[in-house]
Amino acid sequence: MIMKKSWKNGAALLLTAMLGVSAAGCGTAPKPANNTPAAAPQAEQPAKTETKKEEKKLSGKLVVYSAGPKELAEGIQKGYEAKTGVKVEMFQGTTGKILARMEAEKANPVVDVVVLASLPSAQGLKKSGLTQEYKAAAGADKLIPEWSDPEGHFFGYSASALGIVYNTKLVTSPPKEWTDLTKPEWKGKVNIPDPALSGSALDFITGYLSGKGDSGWDLLKQYKQNDMALAGANQEALDPVITGAKSIVAAGVDYMTYQAKAKGEPVDMVYPASGTVISPRPAAILKSSANVDNAKAFIDYLLSDEAQKLVADTYLLPGRKDIKAKDRAGVDQIPQMKIDWAWMDTNGNDVTKKFTQLFK
């Protein structure tokens, strides 16, 4: 009797289990999943732990070589250090000096990030295999696309435009076109920055030649015949115009002019209607960087609201489309030449040598 009762109980349990499976397969059992212990949240836990690892606090240092302006470079350094806790070791110089320093250190590179004042120079670094991509840069989707590398090897976080800068006390009727500077009235009164030292000056000269071809050298030869002086980098070319030792800078950098004007200096500028070059200022992470996470965070900071406001406050053109330029002409208000950045990159060295030889 006891065996019979046990058999009946076992059969009843088996039938119940089979009915349960059948009900689950037909979708008629409404609550079994809800009665199961919270397994799903536990399965998601590793993903949360991984996210925390990706957001780990940065530390250590970052070596940055940066083209000016000085107050912007220092402002960005201070803001980045405050945000990340990373110590920045910064060398400031012209694009030419930065590239020369990198060349001298190529056997033992130390720099993590370079900030240049010339787009072709950044293109050259990429072509030489010296940069690394960073496709996840925060804010990169808001940048003016023509100023940055589509593969994420450099980012045009700001820009300057080149124009005819003049002393307002000495020049009452400023020249309006590049060809006007060949007139006798400007003989011996004009400076031009050295493209071997100024990345933006190189951008202007190669940009002009990329559109004009060999005939573009005719204008530059006329400049030399009119005693135009080769005067160092941008600031060295501008200072004599501020003091009145010279009247004009050809291919002068606009943000320096706006800064000087805001301080009460007697300078102003003209963008020729025939067009000029807007020179992006790109930042790139070097492939040899020993501090890649810190370098990526630096690029993110350059493209942030905070840093882009610093850019605008320095009278540069912000790299982001949604940030307005401050008290100056914006990108859409500056007539631009048709230029070929690829040609400029390929021919930059040859143009520099020929130009400096011409102006000796």
Side-chain angles (χ1 to χ4, degrees):
M1 294 297 290
I2 295 173
M3 290 178 62
K4 185 175 180 181
K5 186 175 181 182
S6 298
W7 179 88
K8 286 182 178 179
N9 290 341
L13 289 171
L14 178 62
L15 179 62
T16 300
M18 292 175 65
L19 288 172
V21 171
S22 175
C26 296
T28 56
K31 293 185 179 180
N34 293 339
N35 292 333
T36 302
Q42 291 177 359
E44 293 176 0
Q45 190 62 33
K48 292 181 180 179
T49 302
E50 183 178 346
T51 301
K52 288 181 180 178
K53 287 182 179 178
E54 292 176 354
E55 297 174 354
K56 63 182 180 181
K57 185 174 177 61
L58 298 173
S59 62
K61 71 173 185 177
L62 183 71
V63 181
V64 179
Y65 292 176
S66 179
K70 180 181 179 181
E71 60 270 30
L72 176 60
E74 291 178 348
I76 287 172
Q77 176 181 358
K78 182 178 179 181
Y80 170 78
E81 288 180 338
K83 191 174 185 65
T84 64
V86 174
K87 178 65 178 176
V88 175
E89 297 176 5
M90 182 174 289
F91 166 74
Q92 294 182 46
T94 64
T95 295
K97 289 181 179 179
I98 289 171
L99 296 177
R101 181 162 179 157
M102 290 175 63
E103 177 65 20
E105 296 172 345
K106 66 180 180 180
N108 186 29
V110 296
V111 61
D112 297 299
V113 176
V114 291
V115 182
L116 305 174
S118 171
L119 182 65
S121 296
Q123 291 174 318
L125 293 180
K126 179 190 174 183
K127 187 184 295 184
S128 298
L130 297 176
T131 59
Q132 62 175 285
E133 69 177 38
Y134 179 30
K135 289 188 175 179
D141 58 325
K142 299 177 182 178
L143 292 173
I144 297 172
E146 295 81 9
W147 296 0
S148 298
D149 177 51
E151 296 178 348
H153 280 259
F154 55 81
F155 303 88
Y157 84 105
S158 66
S160 60
L162 291 306
I164 298 172
V165 181
Y166 61 95
N167 183 301
T168 55
K169 292 182 178 179
L170 300 177
V171 180
T172 56
S173 181
K176 296 180 180 179
E177 282 294 342
W178 302 113
T179 52
D180 291 344
L181 298 176
T182 65
K183 295 178 178 179
E185 62 192 283
W186 306 119
K187 187 176 179 65
K189 297 180 179 180
V190 183
N191 279 342
I192 188 167
D194 186 345
L197 298 174
S198 165
S200 55
L202 179 60
D203 283 0
F204 171 77
I205 295 165
T206 54
Y208 182 80
L209 293 171
S210 76
K212 298 289 185 179
D214 286 341
S215 65
W217 284 103
D218 293 341
L219 177 66
L220 301 178
K221 290 175 182 176
Q222 291 177 53
Y223 281 176
K224 174 59 177 175
Q225 291 167 3
N226 212 32
D227 292 339
M228 187 177 289
L230 196 62
N234 298 310
Q235 193 66 55
E236 288 82 2
L238 177 61
D239 285 342
V241 174
I242 291 175
T243 62
K246 292 282 186 175
S247 298
I248 291 173
V249 182
V253 179
D254 59 358
Y255 79 86
M256 288 185 175
T257 305
Y258 292 128
Q259 286 179 340
K261 183 178 178 181
K263 294 175 182 177
E265 302 291 359
V267 289
D268 210 337
M269 72 181 305
V270 172
Y271 298 110
S274 60
T276 187
V277 173
I278 291 180
S279 181
R281 305 169 72 84
I285 302 173
L286 276 297
K287 188 172 288 186
S288 57
S289 171
N291 303 287
V292 176
D293 288 342
N294 293 347
K296 289 179 177 179
F298 187 83
I299 297 296
D300 290 344
Y301 181 73
L302 280 180
L303 309 187
S304 69
D305 290 355
E306 182 175 303
Q308 288 291 295
K309 184 179 183 301
L310 292 176
V311 168
D313 288 345
T314 318
Y315 297 96
L316 280 161
L317 293 164
R320 274 177 36 182
K321 295 175 286 187
D322 59 330
I323 305 294
K324 298 290 186 182
K326 175 183 176 181
D327 299 333
R328 55 153 298 154
V331 174
D332 295 338
Q333 299 169 298
I334 301 172
Q336 295 184 57
M337 299 176 184
K338 290 183 179 180
I339 59 176
D340 184 342
W341 289 110
W343 187 95
M344 294 160 66
D345 171 32
T346 302
N347 295 276
N349 288 337
D350 291 339
V351 168
T352 300
K353 291 176 183 177
K354 186 173 179 178
F355 186 88
T356 51
Q357 184 67 32
L358 173 64
F359 275 78
K360 274 188 177 179

